[in-house]
Amino acid sequence: MDLTILVLSFVIAASLALAGYFAQTTRKQKTQIKTANHNLAAEVDERILAERALQGNEERFKALFENSQLSVWNVDMSLVQYELNKLRMAGIKDLRKHLMTDPQVAMELLTKIRINHVNNATLKLFGADSEDELFKNLDKTMGPGADAVFVDELCAIWEKKRGFQSELAFRSLAGDEIRTIISIAIPETDEGFLSIPFTITDITQGKQAEHNLQQSESRYRSLVENVPMCIHEIDLSGKIISINQAGLDMLQLNHEDEIVGQSYLAAVNNKDRQRVYELLLQANSGNSSQFEFGGSGALEGYIMSSSLVPIRDGAGNVALILSVSQNISGRRQMEDELRKLAQVVEQSPQSIVITNVDAEIEYVNEAFLNATGYQLEELLGKNPQILQSGKTPSETYLSLWKALNYNKSWRGEFHNKRKDGSEYIERASITPIHNPDNEITHYVAINEDITQKKQLAKELDDHRHNLETLVEERTAQLAEARKRAETANQAKSSFLANMSHEIRTPMNAIIGLTHLLQRAEPSPEQVEKLTKIDASAGHLLAIINDILDISKIEAGKLLLEQSDFHLDSLFDHVQDLLKEQAVAKGLGFEVDTSEVPSWLRGDLTRLRQSLLNFASNAVKFTDEGTIFLRAKTLAKFTDEVLLRFEVQDTGMGIEPDQLFRLFDPFEQADVSTTRRHGGTGLGLSITSHLAQLMGGEVGAESELGKGSTFWFTALLGLSDGSQNDDTSSEVQLRSSHAGSRILLVEDNLINREVALALLNSKDLVTDTAENGQQALTMVQSTTYDLILMDVQMPVMDGLEATRLIRTLTDSSASQNDLPILAMTANVFTEDRQACLEAGMNDFVAKPVNPDNLFSTIAKWLPQEE
């Protein structure tokens, strides 16, 4: 019983102990569970806060992306990186060489690029309403050089550079050119190529903007970190919240903790700090700004260009300020270099002058003023010809403008005159200046006074007798070079000679027969028709002469003649030729030559041609008023005079932008004038070339509705008129040479009849032959006083016939003394030289001018003793 009670007590005690244990354990478990629940709730709250912060960051970076003024592209280049890795595994070492060898590889890689997203600034830059519109028309936006830039970008990725930047031209969807700088941050890992920041900076208007793109905290933070510009996030108190890696590198910092919380103004120098502070206040109010400032601290000595962009939250309030900055010290350094260059030019000991394309002076340096004696205000807007002394050879100016017209530099020497009249020689180097479109905008001349050098060289040359041998060798070289040039022009000259002959031969018949009919006492009606025929033939001949003149000028074969003439004969002839046209329009002529010597020496024909070109145009384009013809003396020397000839009208005038090309071949101020007034457009160009050959130049001034003034200058010799003979050639023939026997050798029947009638009208006894063979036979049996010999004939031409006549020794007359005059339609110098070499004495050009024919015959017929 006691044992039972004892066991039962033990069981009860054990049960109570066990119950106490389980109760205690249960309390502990409840406490632990309560603590765990409390910790779990805290962790859930923390995660909720973290997710909210993450969402806020994402929205903030998205705002940076969408509101950035830079064009930002988020591109996926993972496939490109994958293909590049394949090429690397295939053993390719030099990617650029591989792409150059097989360009198709680059094109295939280009197709692997995927564009994730672009911001609003990109759509605005390219004029697209949506991403879809832009992506569908990407091929239209690519400018020249895009393929090469893409190859450079691939090579930068291949070489694992940190970033890539290049200039590239795009086009908007409207077709407008956009010049940009593209920048791309190259990731360090293959995963980074899923989202690469690609920025385009529009530099067309000089705008610098930066983009801070974010889609998510990881993507957009990576973009901000790798943009190659210093980017700060600033709170509204001006404290720095964050800075990208490029900013850390620029400030020479290792971690952003070293700058976060500091004032943005700490990097701004004292001079600019107040202004930047005011711009920060404006950014707080929602206003963006772009500015420059001098750096301080780590940026000491730098010049920074920065933009402040307010970033708004979802409610539209400014939440923070984005600062995008870049170092422009290099650009400022370049500007300083330009200033240095300007000082070098200004302080150069050599004379420097810059003119515009109209040869008007826009700049001269101090050395130029010292060398010429002029003041700056006396030179600006003037032509450098004010320095001309008149002693520089005309060929110098010809070679100068020939080089400049071909867009080449020129070097040569000028004999110039200072303001005080003293003369000096200078060596000049003249070069065209081009704009980015390769158009000539200015000319720059660098001159050196070599007067003393010339003097020393002359004294030295007097002691170098052996130079004669060198001169002879050089002369031989020049002769050989000239021979090659003449050979090169032979085909052209031959064609022009044949054309001249074929056109002038029938023209000779037309003009000659008209002349004969006019002398045959025709009826008034016939006189009117013959006058029209003569005028039309003269007009056609003038066109032919213009074309041949310009051809001779281009070939350098136009030579000037020198003879004495009276100035009145020049102006009287021009008035006589235009009198009928002027009277028909009610126009008058006024001539002023009071300042010019009466007797001159030069090429009267070319002077008359030049003056007539200007005067005939004046009559053409003037409906009422007066034509003024003038001659003025510009400079007078010992035996020469520089004259300016002017033709002023009261006509319609010319547009200012048309004046500069009037003197170009085939150019007219209004192409409709060809239909209204006729003309080849060569007259003014020929006058320009003739003026240059005569040591002068041409020019024009005009005002719409008030008329125009055309002028040219010429360097002419002075004469006393003692060599002039005004005796009429027709009178001289009749009085001194009636009965002289002439042999006319001409194969063309009409031309033979015309010439025969003209000769017989002056009481000359004329025999005819149809070719050189007949002429040779007739000369052996008959004594002639003169032979008129056509050049191109069948059976035997005139050149061969002349050579054979000169060899005859059995004739009663000395064949070496027999005058043989070439009647030729070939007017070029080499054609005339061939005639002289064959033994001919002179020339009568076709179409035959009766006065010229009679004067030439009178010149060569034997004079009575």
Side-chain angles (χ1 to χ4, degrees):
M1 183 67 177
D2 292 334
L3 180 61
T4 304
I5 295 171
L6 181 61
V7 170
L8 181 60
S9 299
F10 177 78
V11 170
I12 293 171
S15 297
L16 291 173
L18 184 62
Y21 171 77
F22 280 118
Q24 184 179 2
T25 301
T26 301
R27 285 194 299 271
K28 288 182 179 180
Q29 287 178 344
K30 287 182 178 180
T31 302
Q32 290 175 350
I33 291 172
K34 184 177 180 180
T35 301
N37 288 337
H38 177 75
N39 291 338
L40 179 61
E43 183 177 353
V44 169
D45 290 340
E46 182 178 351
R47 288 190 179 184
I48 291 173
L49 292 175
E51 288 178 358
R52 288 177 179 176
L54 179 62
Q55 183 178 4
N57 286 335
E58 183 174 354
E59 291 177 354
R60 183 174 63 184
F61 288 123
K62 284 184 178 180
L64 288 174
F65 178 79
E66 295 297 342
N67 294 306
S68 174
Q69 296 182 13
L70 274 176
S71 168
V72 185
W73 304 57
N74 193 296
V75 297
D76 180 353
M77 295 186 67
S78 58
L79 293 179
V80 175
Q81 176 67 352
Y82 174 75
E83 295 296 332
L84 290 177
N85 289 337
K86 287 174 60 179
L87 291 176
R88 202 183 299 274
M89 294 177 64
I92 300 300
K93 300 296 184 183
D94 189 336
L95 178 63
R96 185 179 298 277
K97 182 177 180 181
H98 180 66
L99 296 179
M100 296 298 291
T101 304
D102 189 358
Q104 185 60 33
V105 173
M107 296 298 99
E108 291 175 357
L109 289 173
L110 182 61
T111 63
K112 302 295 184 180
I113 298 177
R114 298 291 183 266
I115 303 174
N116 294 327
H117 188 36
V118 298
N119 66 346
N120 292 330
T122 302
L123 299 179
K124 182 179 179 181
L125 178 64
F126 288 93
D129 294 330
S130 64
E131 285 186 342
D132 289 341
E133 182 184 6
L134 177 61
F135 295 166
K136 290 178 181 179
N137 294 279
L138 278 178
D139 57 329
K140 298 180 181 179
T141 66
M142 293 296 106
D147 294 345
V149 172
F150 179 62
V151 169
D152 291 340
E153 179 184 342
L154 291 175
C155 291
I157 295 174
W158 179 270
E159 297 167 5
K160 298 182 179 180
K161 294 183 178 179
R162 293 196 61 179
F164 173 76
Q165 189 175 80
S166 177
E167 284 196 22
L168 183 60
F170 287 95
R171 293 194 178 279
S172 69
L173 297 187
D176 298 324
E177 184 182 37
I178 309 171
R179 299 193 64 85
T180 69
I181 296 177
I182 64 170
S183 300
I184 178 171
I186 302 175
E188 296 180 359
T189 65
D190 290 351
E191 290 76 10
F193 284 88
L194 290 170
S195 175
I196 294 182
F198 178 90
T199 63
I200 298 178
T201 303
D202 182 3
I203 61 173
T204 307
Q205 302 295 330
K207 294 182 179 178
Q208 294 287 335
E210 294 295 334
H211 290 270
N212 195 357
L213 306 179
Q214 297 176 347
Q215 287 182 338
S216 65
E217 185 174 4
S218 60
R219 286 186 180 181
Y220 296 113
R221 171 56 63 184
S222 175
L223 176 63
V224 170
E225 287 298 324
N226 290 283
V227 168
M229 293 184 179
C230 179
I231 300 179
H232 294 87
E233 286 181 322
I234 308 169
D235 64 19
L236 299 185
S237 67
K239 299 292 182 61
I240 296 174
I241 301 174
S242 69
I243 183 173
N244 67 344
Q245 184 61 47
L248 293 175
D249 294 340
M250 187 177 295
L251 295 172
Q252 303 177 17
L253 301 175
N254 296 320
H255 195 272
E256 68 174 4
D257 291 343
E258 299 178 50
I259 193 172
V260 169
Q262 295 185 17
S263 171
Y264 175 76
L265 297 174
V268 182
N269 66 13
N270 293 332
K271 177 182 177 182
D272 298 320
R273 190 166 295 167
Q274 180 62 32
R275 177 168 55 89
V276 176
Y277 172 73
E278 293 173 356
L279 293 175
L280 281 172
L281 294 180
Q282 294 180 21
N284 286 349
S285 301
N287 296 319
S288 300
S289 60
Q290 186 172 2
F291 55 94
E292 296 179 3
F293 66 88
S296 179
L299 298 181
E300 185 72 36
Y302 287 8
I303 300 176
M304 306 296 295
S305 176
S306 183
S307 297
L308 293 178
V309 181
I311 305 300
R312 300 179 183 274
D313 57 20
N317 299 317
V318 176
L320 55 89
I321 301 169
L322 183 68
S323 168
V324 181
S325 305
Q326 66 179 128
N327 181 8
I328 62 169
S329 303
R331 188 182 75 189
R332 285 297 180 86
Q333 183 178 2
M334 183 179 298
E335 293 173 354
D336 292 338
E337 291 298 326
L338 290 176
R339 281 192 291 271
K340 291 178 183 178
L341 289 175
Q343 292 176 347
V344 169
V345 170
E346 183 61 30
Q347 299 173 14
S348 171
Q350 294 180 312
S351 298
I352 299 176
V353 56
I354 299 176
T355 71
N356 58 24
V357 292
D358 296 323
E360 296 171 340
I361 295 174
E362 291 188 355
Y363 170 82
V364 296
N365 67 348
E366 187 67 24
F368 187 93
L369 299 177
N370 295 334
T372 62
Y374 285 94
Q375 298 298 317
L376 180 62
E377 56 271 16
E378 297 176 304
L379 295 172
L380 294 181
K382 300 297 179 59
N383 191 297
Q385 68 182 11
I386 64 174
L387 301 176
Q388 291 180 4
S389 67
K391 295 184 179 180
T392 303
S394 59
E395 293 79 3
T396 299
Y397 298 108
L398 287 175
S399 65
L400 163 63
W401 286 110
K402 183 177 180 180
L404 295 182
N405 287 338
Y406 280 97
N407 201 15
K408 296 180 179 179
S409 298
W410 177 88
R411 291 178 177 84
E413 296 178 3
F414 295 122
H415 196 132
N416 283 345
K417 182 172 62 177
R418 300 183 180 89
K419 182 180 179 180
D420 62 6
S422 60
E423 297 180 0
Y424 64 104
I425 301 173
E426 67 178 11
R427 180 183 292 115
S429 176
I430 302 177
T431 303
I433 300 176
H434 303 82
N435 63 14
D437 295 327
N438 202 33
E439 298 173 336
I440 296 176
T441 60
H442 294 81
Y443 297 104
V444 58
I446 302 176
N447 308 323
E448 178 188 4
D449 188 342
I450 59 171
T451 307
Q452 292 184 352
K453 290 183 180 179
K454 281 283 188 179
Q455 183 67 28
L456 292 174
K458 184 179 182 302
E459 294 174 0
L460 183 61
D461 285 344
D462 292 339
H463 303 285
R464 295 181 179 176
H465 302 295
N466 62 332
L467 283 181
E468 293 181 358
T469 302
L470 297 177
V471 170
E472 290 175 358
E473 293 176 356
R474 182 57 179 162
T475 301
Q477 294 172 358
L478 292 175
E480 179 62 23
R482 179 178 180 181
K483 182 179 179 181
R484 289 195 298 266
E486 290 174 349
T487 300
N489 287 329
Q490 184 175 2
K492 176 180 177 180
S493 299
S494 177
F495 168 76
L496 292 174
N498 290 334
M499 183 181 71
S500 172
H501 181 271
E502 293 300 325
I503 295 176
R504 288 174 176 269
T505 297
M507 286 297 300
N508 182 59
I510 296 171
I511 294 175
L513 289 173
T514 302
H515 178 77
L516 293 176
L517 290 172
Q518 287 175 325
R519 291 186 171 209
E521 298 182 358
S523 65
E525 181 179 0
Q526 292 172 331
V527 168
E528 180 182 359
K529 293 179 179 179
L530 288 172
T531 300
K532 292 179 179 179
I533 293 174
D534 187 63
S536 298
H539 178 67
L540 179 58
L541 182 59
I543 293 175
I544 295 169
N545 287 336
D546 281 351
I547 295 173
L548 294 175
D549 277 349
I550 202 70
S551 300
K552 287 190 286 184
I553 289 169
E554 291 177 351
K557 297 176 181 178
L558 185 65
L559 301 178
L560 298 179
E561 298 179 356
Q562 297 295 322
S563 61
D564 295 343
F565 64 91
H566 197 283
L567 188 63
D568 289 345
S569 65
L570 170 63
F571 284 87
D572 290 344
H573 187 81
V574 171
Q575 289 184 85
D576 289 343
L577 290 176
L578 299 176
K579 182 177 181 180
E580 184 176 349
Q581 300 176 40
V583 170
K585 299 180 73 171
L587 302 176
F589 281 105
E590 286 192 15
V591 179
D592 181 7
T593 60
S594 57
E595 300 179 5
V596 180
S598 298
W599 284 99
L600 301 166
R601 182 169 181 79
D603 194 328
L604 176 60
T605 300
R606 295 306 181 181
L607 283 169
R608 183 185 298 130
Q609 180 181 359
S610 300
L611 191 61
L612 186 60
N613 281 338
F614 287 168
S616 61
N617 281 341
V619 174
K620 273 185 189 180
F621 301 107
T622 303
D623 295 327
E624 59 181 5
T626 303
I627 308 298
F628 300 90
L629 307 178
R630 304 187 187 96
K632 300 178 180 179
T633 299
L634 297 183
K636 195 170 184 179
F637 310 101
T638 303
D639 55 357
E640 291 181 316
V641 62
L642 181 64
L643 301 183
R644 173 180 168 122
F645 296 90
E646 293 182 354
V647 176
Q648 180 182 355
D649 63 55
T650 55
M652 64 181 71
I654 302 169
E655 291 280 359
D657 60 346
Q658 302 292 336
L659 279 174
F660 74 95
R661 61 188 185 91
L662 285 178
F663 294 96
D664 293 337
F666 310 105
E667 289 284 349
Q668 294 179 329
D670 180 2
V671 294
S672 64
T673 59
T674 302
R675 296 187 295 272
R676 295 169 53 201
H677 301 286
T680 61
L682 294 175
L684 295 181
S685 175
I686 291 172
T687 299
S688 175
H689 286 292
L690 291 177
Q692 293 177 17
L693 286 175
M694 292 186 286
E697 54 191 0
V698 297
E701 299 94 28
S702 184
E703 186 175 354
L704 284 177
K706 294 186 178 181
S708 307
T709 299
F710 284 77
W711 56 267
F712 70 93
T713 59
L715 187 63
L716 302 175
L718 294 171
S719 170
D720 57 7
S722 59
Q723 300 180 16
N724 189 66
D725 185 3
D726 292 331
T727 305
S728 169
S729 57
E730 295 189 37
V731 173
Q732 186 178 357
L733 276 179
R734 283 200 179 96
S735 62
S736 303
H737 302 289
S740 295
R741 182 171 289 277
I742 307 293
L743 176 59
L744 171 64
V745 188
E746 171 64 64
D747 66 308
N748 185 280
L749 176 61
I750 298 177
N751 288 340
R752 195 163 59 244
E753 292 177 358
V754 170
L756 186 61
L758 291 172
L759 295 172
N760 290 341
S761 69
K762 299 300 172 284
D763 299 328
L764 300 174
V765 178
T766 308
D767 296 335
T768 62
E770 297 181 8
N771 56 60
Q773 184 64 56
Q774 290 183 9
L776 182 62
T777 301
M778 296 174 69
V779 166
Q780 295 179 72
S781 59
T782 306
T783 299
Y784 292 101
D785 297 307
L786 182 142
I787 298 177
L788 291 171
M789 180 76 75
D790 190 15
V791 175
Q792 295 188 16
M793 293 181 294
V795 183
M796 181 184 291
D797 63 31
L799 298 178
E800 180 64 21
T802 300
R803 282 191 286 266
L804 292 175
I805 290 173
R806 293 305 186 200
T807 63
L808 296 177
T809 59
D810 55 353
S811 175
S812 58
S814 173
Q815 305 306 324
N816 288 327
D817 296 332
L818 176 61
I820 302 178
L821 310 183
M823 295 183 65
T824 176
N826 296 335
V827 295
F828 293 98
T829 303
E830 59 266 33
D831 299 316
R832 296 195 172 193
Q833 185 62 35
C835 293
L836 293 176
E837 291 174 356
M840 296 182 178
N841 301 93
D842 210 340
F843 317 89
V844 177
K846 293 181 181 178
V848 173
N849 178 282
D851 290 338
N852 183 45
L853 173 64
F854 297 146
S855 62
T856 306
I857 292 175
K859 172 183 175 182
W860 288 101
L861 280 175
Q863 301 295 321
E864 294 182 356
E865 299 181 355

